[in-house]
Amino acid sequence: MKQQVIIVGAGASGLAAAIQAARQGASVTVLEHTARPGKKLLSTGNGKCNLTNLMTPDDAYRGGQPEFIKKVLERIPVGQTLEFFRNLGLVLTDWNGYVYPNTGQAASVLEALLFELDHLGVSIVTDCQVEEIRKDLSLMTSKGKKKADAVILAAGSMAAPKTGSDGSGYQLASALGHRIIKPLPALVQLRCREKWYKQAAGVRTEAAVTLKIDGKAAAADRGELQFTDYGISGIPVFQVSRFAAREMDAGRNVTAELDLFPSMDFESTRQLLLERARHFGYRPAEEFLNGVLNHKLARILLKEAGIPNEGFVKDITASQIKKLASSLKGLKTEIIAANSFDQAQVCSGGIDTREVDPNTMESKLINGLYLAGEILDVDGICGGYNLQWAWSCGILAGTYAGRETPRTHGQE
């Protein structure tokens, strides 16, 4: 009799796991609590689906156990993921290492996965809420009791709940004894205390963002910074946001310094401003940064430096120029909150990976239970890394769960 595999969750990791388990000869059923599979996948990469990335910087993944992450990604690396999708009929293209389907449509990725699942005879049951997973691998669901030889829990996190991520997988894992590291929003906008953000709303500019915890630099990134009426957004903010959320949750003081002129160092910036003061002394003081910075930001920085609107550039003092250069190179802002799970792309936190075998994705607590994807305490930076994590986990979990005699904890 075929190995009976049940997968909880029809997201990226769950669908990849289903394909791989079926390829091992297993009879596979996917249980999805929403009305359709792969809903979150359709929204990734602004609808273009950044599948993975050919480059993996040292800070690409975050979590409590870096060695665990490394081992999983070594087992199913980027090259194997690319081959997995090419075998599904996808033509792939990359832009500076960022890999997309050549169609530029996330729907193409989901369709390729679903076509293969149909070809392999995998059953997808939608609108099916899993209420309990028991230690004997029986499942209590809204559509009755089900029994499996292996279960893959790939129910996602709490990020982007409109796509179906409701955090229910954490409860299922916790009930089986797994420790949950508190889930918090990641890849998300940050809310700031200062009142001037309403004036800066809508501005986009190249900037470097340095996050500070209790006054000490903790994380930094550079890219297009976006100002909102409540704070800061954009890729460089997303990249550091998980640290801000976790440290604020721990009660620490979180601030950021915004380098709005990252192409120059402080002294070069100061000299540039001094030269402008000498050359444009006849201009109104309020126009001093005209041609240097967006006029909305310019007004804010001039005020921060104590430069009044009235008067002329020739009236600006050397000390005011030094202060202005300091604001340009490190505008300080106090972070008071991360936006909610509704706006977050992923979560930090999740199932403690010390309780999962990185060789197989099998639980170290429950034989035959496998854990995959965003439900684990692993999150990646922007750039296709979170999807790569989903594919690696799913393919690895499906490979071992689908075998007729489950191999526990990586023992060959």
Side-chain angles (χ1 to χ4, degrees):
M1 186 175 176
K2 284 187 174 183
Q3 174 89 341
Q4 301 294 310
V5 177
I6 293 179
I7 298 170
V8 182
S13 196
L15 296 179
I19 288 172
Q20 202 65 15
R23 286 175 175 174
Q24 307 307 306
S27 175
V28 181
T29 301
V30 181
L31 306 181
E32 169 57 39
H33 72 107
T34 68
R36 57 185 297 192
K39 188 175 181 181
K40 189 173 183 179
L41 184 61
L42 292 174
S43 65
T44 59
N46 292 320
K48 296 180 180 180
C49 196
N50 183 186
L51 276 169
T52 186
N53 202 303
L54 301 181
M55 299 172 290
T56 306
D58 292 340
D59 66 345
Y61 294 95
R62 293 85 178 259
Q65 306 298 319
E67 279 303 310
F68 174 89
I69 301 170
K70 181 181 178 182
K71 286 180 180 179
V72 172
L73 295 173
E74 285 175 347
R75 296 280 279 172
I76 310 293
V78 171
Q80 189 169 337
T81 300
L82 298 177
E83 191 62 24
F84 176 83
F85 281 103
R86 290 186 183 117
N87 287 336
L88 298 184
L90 277 179
V91 174
L92 305 175
T93 185
D94 78 272
W95 181 76
N96 291 335
Y98 295 72
V99 179
Y100 295 88
N102 197 58
T103 61
Q105 295 177 300
S108 299
V109 179
L110 179 57
E111 287 166 1
L113 291 165
L114 294 178
F115 282 143
E116 183 68 7
L117 290 167
D118 182 65
H119 170 69
L120 293 168
V122 172
S123 173
I124 300 178
V125 182
T126 56
D127 294 312
C128 181
Q129 187 72 45
V130 177
E131 297 156 356
E132 181 186 7
I133 301 173
R134 295 180 176 172
K135 292 182 178 181
D136 65 354
L137 302 184
S138 58
L139 294 85
M140 304 298 112
T141 82
S142 59
K143 295 190 175 182
K145 181 178 179 180
K146 302 181 184 296
K147 185 71 173 68
D149 298 308
V151 172
I152 301 174
L153 182 56
S157 66
M158 296 175 71
K162 290 181 180 177
T163 65
S165 300
D166 62 357
S168 58
Y170 299 135
Q171 299 167 23
L172 294 172
S174 179
L176 288 168
H178 276 281
R179 179 172 179 256
I180 308 298
I181 309 298
K182 184 178 180 178
L184 292 170
L187 301 188
V188 70
Q189 307 87 349
L190 296 175
R191 293 182 168 269
C192 304
R193 186 174 300 284
E194 291 75 16
K195 302 293 185 185
W196 50 256
Y197 278 99
K198 292 186 182 298
Q199 303 170 47
V203 173
R204 296 172 180 239
T205 186
E206 178 76 9
V209 178
T210 300
L211 194 74
K212 292 193 169 183
I213 310 301
D214 291 336
K216 295 182 179 179
D221 203 78
R222 178 176 169 175
E224 187 181 65
L225 177 67
Q226 300 173 26
F227 289 86
T228 69
D229 60 357
Y230 57 79
I232 48 178
S233 182
I235 298 298
V237 175
F238 289 171
Q239 306 291 48
V240 303
S241 61
R242 66 100 64 197
F243 301 106
R246 300 214 74 83
E247 297 298 337
M248 282 186 287
D249 187 67
R252 297 186 177 90
N253 176 254
V254 180
T255 59
E257 287 187 2
L258 313 178
D259 183 349
L260 304 175
F261 220 55
S263 59
M264 286 188 180
D265 61 22
F266 172 81
E267 185 55 29
S268 298
T269 302
R270 188 178 75 89
Q271 289 299 328
L272 172 69
L273 296 178
L274 285 169
E275 179 61 28
R276 289 179 67 83
R278 286 191 290 267
H279 194 69
F280 299 114
Y282 59 89
R283 290 184 180 179
E286 64 181 347
E287 299 298 329
F288 182 47
L289 292 178
N290 185 37
V292 176
L293 205 62
N294 179 284
H295 68 279
K296 287 184 178 181
L297 289 180
R299 290 180 194 145
I300 293 166
L301 266 66
L302 289 170
K303 185 176 181 180
E304 288 285 310
I307 299 173
N309 290 334
E310 61 274 7
F312 294 90
V313 169
K314 63 182 175 62
D315 301 319
I316 300 175
T317 67
S319 63
Q320 287 175 325
I321 284 178
K322 184 177 181 180
K323 191 171 182 181
L324 181 59
S326 294
S327 292
L328 264 171
K329 292 298 296 175
L331 182 61
K332 293 176 174 58
T333 184
E334 183 179 354
I335 312 299
I336 56 174
N339 264 357
S340 70
F341 289 113
D342 288 335
Q343 287 80 42
Q345 294 182 26
V346 297
C347 282
S348 70
I351 296 172
D352 191 337
T353 53
R354 288 175 294 185
E355 300 170 350
V356 184
D357 184 347
N359 296 298
T360 64
M361 305 309 297
E362 187 175 13
S363 165
K364 293 180 180 179
L365 308 183
I366 308 292
N367 288 341
L369 173 68
Y370 297 77
L371 304 151
E374 199 179 322
I375 197 171
L376 296 163
D377 176 30
V378 178
D379 57 285
I381 61 175
C382 297
Y385 300 102
N386 287 290
L387 273 181
Q388 178 58 53
W389 178 250
W391 309 132
S392 291
C393 288
I395 292 169
L396 191 53
T399 298
Y400 281 87
R403 294 182 176 181
E404 189 171 348
T405 302
R407 301 180 181 185
T408 61
H409 313 324
Q411 298 301 312
E412 298 293 338

